[in-house]
Amino acid sequence: PKTDIVFLKVHKSASSTVMNILFRFGETHNLTFAFPQGGGFQLYYPHHFLAKFVQGFSPLSPRRFNILCHHMRFLQPEVQKVVPSSAIYFSILRNPVQLMESSFVYYKGASAFSHVHSLEEFLSQPYRYYNPASGDRHYARNLMTFDFGFNPDGEASPERVQLMLKAIEASFNFMLISEYFDESMVLLKEMLCWDLDSVVSFPLNTRDSSTKSPLPDSVVEKLKAWNKLDWEIYIHFNRTFWERIDRDIGRERMRREVKALRERQAELARTCLQGTGSVAPKDIKDSSLKPLQHGGARILGYNLKQGLDQELERTCRRLVTPELQYSSLLYKKQFPPLPP
């Protein structure tokens, strides 16, 4: 199994669920994580990543960390200073139309969104609300492009787009696609030589569907045009995703593997969870399992069954522990507080 991993955690793309998978694998195999200084949750995002943002990194010692997976703005020469040269690089992408709809709800406080009532209103005159000089502009335009380290306001000429795609391909071994999450997990398992149980998950950091609304076609087209760079990234890597599956796995085996994954997840849900699945924040009984609530989104969570035996309780709890709590727990394990 591969143990040296860089995961670029792209915002609002099921990346918290992937992070939980990496946290569990790293914890089980006693791997080290490149944590943000002081145990924060982002690597000084939205600044480009620098090695010095990592707790325990020193330019004088050649210490390398196994897994880098917290939010960052990608800059490969700096990333290479903190992970082994053998590391596998991957990320996850989401259709930019849904991604921006999600961003709009989640980052409602961002300067570009705070004075509009709807995405339609924003897209009718984006430059009335969007300021390319504001420090949080990336939440409102080409968010994936920004996370990969590029300029979200860059021109979208075919030449520029090709250069960007080539640069991403040169840095990353493969891409996952959040709309095909189960297929992505099968691909991840294949690429990292992991077993099925290492890639099972319950969806984390997902929002209540009551805050989602379908977008009219006219808005969809405007969203694609406004996020043209993201759209080009998504279309390209959605294609290569399926090409890789055809080449390395095949559709028939993919179907079998996805079925096995879903059956295992359903079995774990029956074993671990009260009720049928996720619940609204107000219904989460164990406060340590409550996810961070942000913007206008209602982020769902889970209740564990009572009376599970110790080993099983631990397995189940890890599957539903929200990102911030899990990150803090692993940080304290890796950097135990000094006794008084």
Side-chain angles (χ1 to χ4, degrees), residues 7-22:
F7 170 55
L8 179 64
K9 186 174 185 292
V10 168
H11 288 74
K12 314 304 330 139
S13 306
S15 56
S16 295
T17 309
V18 178
M19 196 177 192
N20 177 273
I21 287 169
L22 296 174

Side-chain angles (χ1 to χ4, degrees), residues 34-47:
F35 284 108
Q37 280 283 1
F41 302 112
Q42 300 196 339
L43 291 153
Y44 284 81
Y45 187 87
H47 299 285

Side-chain angles (χ1 to χ4, degrees), residues 14 105 129 247 294:
V105 175
Y129 309 105
R247 192 180 69 229
H294 198 80

Side-chain angles (χ1 to χ4, degrees), residues 196-240:
L196 181 71
D197 266 13
S198 297
V199 298
V200 296
S201 63
F202 297 145
L204 295 174
N205 207 25
T206 55
R207 67 187 163 113
D208 184 347
S209 56
S210 70
T211 60
K212 298 178 186 176
S213 47
L215 299 166
D217 291 348
S218 58
V219 173
V220 169
E221 289 313 310
K222 281 182 182 168
L223 274 172
K224 286 183 194 171
W226 177 248
N227 295 287
K228 177 96 166 77
L229 295 171
D230 272 12
W231 185 250
E232 295 286 354
I233 290 175
Y234 180 75
I235 291 300
H236 176 80
F237 287 105
N238 190 6
R239 195 183 71 242
T240 60

Side-chain angles (χ1 to χ4, degrees), residues 285-305:
K285 299 186 181 86
D286 180 341
S287 60
S288 70
L289 296 179
K290 244 184 201 168
L292 173 76
Q293 302 299 315
H294 198 80
R298 283 224 304 270
I299 305 299
L300 304 173
Y302 297 92
N303 286 317
L304 291 179
K305 275 189 176 155

Side-chain angles (χ1 to χ4, degrees), residues 256-319:
R256 289 199 307 273
E257 297 250 5
V258 164
K259 184 169 176 281
L261 177 66
R262 286 175 181 163
E263 283 167 0
R264 179 70 181 124
Q265 278 167 189
E267 183 190 338
L268 277 165
R270 285 191 299 272
T271 305
C272 295
L273 304 179
Q274 283 181 32
T276 50
S278 53
V279 295
K282 65 175 177 23
D283 299 324
I284 301 168
K285 299 186 181 86
D286 180 341
S287 60
S288 70
L289 296 179
K290 244 184 201 168
L292 173 76
Q293 302 299 315
H294 198 80
R298 283 224 304 270
I299 305 299
L300 304 173
Y302 297 92
N303 286 317
L304 291 179
K305 275 189 176 155
Q306 301 297 303
L308 299 169
D309 73 59
Q310 211 179 347
E311 188 55 31
L312 190 55
E313 208 271 347
R314 195 188 130 88
T315 301
C316 294
R317 179 169 286 275
R318 292 296 191 252
L319 276 162

